[in-house]
Amino acid sequence: MAQTVAQAFDPSIWHISNMELTLRLVLALVLGGLIGLERELGGHSAGFRTHILVCVGSAAIVLLSMYGFSEFAADPNVRLDPSRLAAQVVSGIGFLGAGTILRTGITVSGLTTAASLWVVAAIGLTVGAGFYYGSAVLTFLVVVSLFVLNKFEKKFSRAKSKRDIVLKMTKDSACLSNVVTELHHFGIQISKIIVENEEAAAGDIAEMLIVRLQVKLNYKKRFEEVIVSLATITGVIGIESGGESL
């Protein structure tokens, strides 16, 4: 007589040893830390600890989903789905990644960090499920992309390293002078500067200046830091940074 599903069921597949459990969590910590280290060295919003926590947390959720309910495995009225909890990580990590994306004027930054958090969550899921080789290869590819390809990207984008900055400031020659001095302090060259009077109502005298700058970036300084520094100058009312201009 053919065996029933219950008789053929092997409950051992729903159990994991403490040694194996520890190995998977530690491996998730190491792999997540490798990617987080690159983000930390680059001074990004989500760094070393954040990537470790995401990777270890994702691995823990997979482990819980696969082995946390083993006492119910033999119950014929219970149907276990190891992928149910793990699937929620993929959608849930989007909320954390969104917090790393910043918009300054029309310039958007933090997309790479958000993507690194997403892929670190995937690595955690892979480690938690026991795919050690796959998780190691994935981590290697991500580290190469962040460390090596980043250098190539900067090298080949030198010709496109100009940005547009639009400043709204008071009619004070000292204010414009301070802006130029601050840019030089960051090692940024000014390629073009246009000063215009702000449009005023008919019969009124314009009280503000619109200064349009085209600057050449210095990759040793983060562009966001330059914008924040310019915004603190006395007399600067508003600032908008544009995308790369050829």
Side-chain angles (χ1 to χ4, degrees):
M1 182 181 295
Q3 289 182 319
T4 64
V5 175
Q7 291 173 330
F9 175 74
D10 182 8
S12 64
I13 64 173
W14 300 106
H15 293 274
I16 185 173
S17 67
N18 290 335
M19 181 65 71
E20 180 73 12
L21 177 67
T22 303
L23 173 63
R24 295 188 187 185
L25 291 177
V26 171
L27 182 59
L29 182 148
V30 173
L31 297 182
L34 288 175
I35 298 174
L37 181 62
E38 189 278 337
R39 297 284 89 187
E40 185 75 27
L41 294 176
H44 298 282
S45 53
F48 185 63
R49 292 179 298 172
T50 303
H51 284 75
I52 286 178
L53 291 175
V54 169
C55 197
V56 173
S58 299
I61 290 175
V62 173
L63 290 168
L64 174 64
S65 184
M66 294 177 64
Y67 306 108
F69 308 98
S70 57
E71 63 268 26
F72 303 106
D75 191 330
N77 297 317
V78 175
R79 181 178 179 181
L80 295 180
D81 182 3
S83 65
R84 186 176 297 275
L85 282 178
Q88 307 310 311
V89 175
V90 179
S91 57
I93 196 64
F95 292 95
L96 184 60
T100 68
I101 300 175
L102 301 175
R103 185 176 185 273
T104 305
I106 60 176
T107 301
V108 178
S109 61
L111 291 174
T112 302
T113 300
S116 69
L117 286 173
W118 182 80
V119 76
V120 159
I123 292 173
L125 295 175
T126 308
V127 173
F131 293 105
Y132 302 128
Y133 178 77
S135 61
V137 172
L138 179 56
T139 302
F140 173 76
L141 294 176
V142 173
V143 170
V144 169
S145 298
L146 292 176
F147 273 102
V148 180
L149 297 185
N150 182 45
K151 298 183 183 299
F152 279 101
E153 182 181 9
K154 289 181 178 180
K155 179 180 179 180
F156 290 108
S157 63
R158 293 292 182 181
K160 300 181 180 180
S161 61
K162 292 182 179 180
R163 294 285 185 93
D164 294 323
I165 302 176
V166 180
L167 296 164
K168 180 179 179 181
M169 62 177 64
T170 58
K171 281 190 171 183
D172 183 359
S173 58
C175 180
L176 180 57
S177 176
N178 290 336
V179 168
V180 174
T181 301
E182 190 68 11
L183 290 173
H184 288 165
H185 171 73
F186 278 97
I188 295 179
Q189 299 177 1
I190 300 176
S191 303
K192 184 188 300 183
I193 180 169
I194 301 175
V195 181
E196 305 171 338
N197 286 319
E198 184 186 35
E199 292 185 4
D204 293 340
I205 300 176
E207 298 293 335
M208 300 291 175
L209 292 177
I210 301 297
V211 179
R212 305 180 187 277
L213 300 170
Q214 186 180 84
V215 299
K216 186 174 182 180
L217 297 183
N218 180 351
Y219 280 105
K220 294 181 180 180
K221 298 290 185 180
R222 295 186 61 196
F223 189 59
E224 293 79 10
E225 296 176 0
V226 178
I227 296 300
V228 171
S229 180
L230 292 178
T232 61
I233 296 177
T234 303
V236 174
I237 307 301
I239 183 169
E240 182 176 348
S241 60
E244 292 180 342
S245 57
L246 300 177

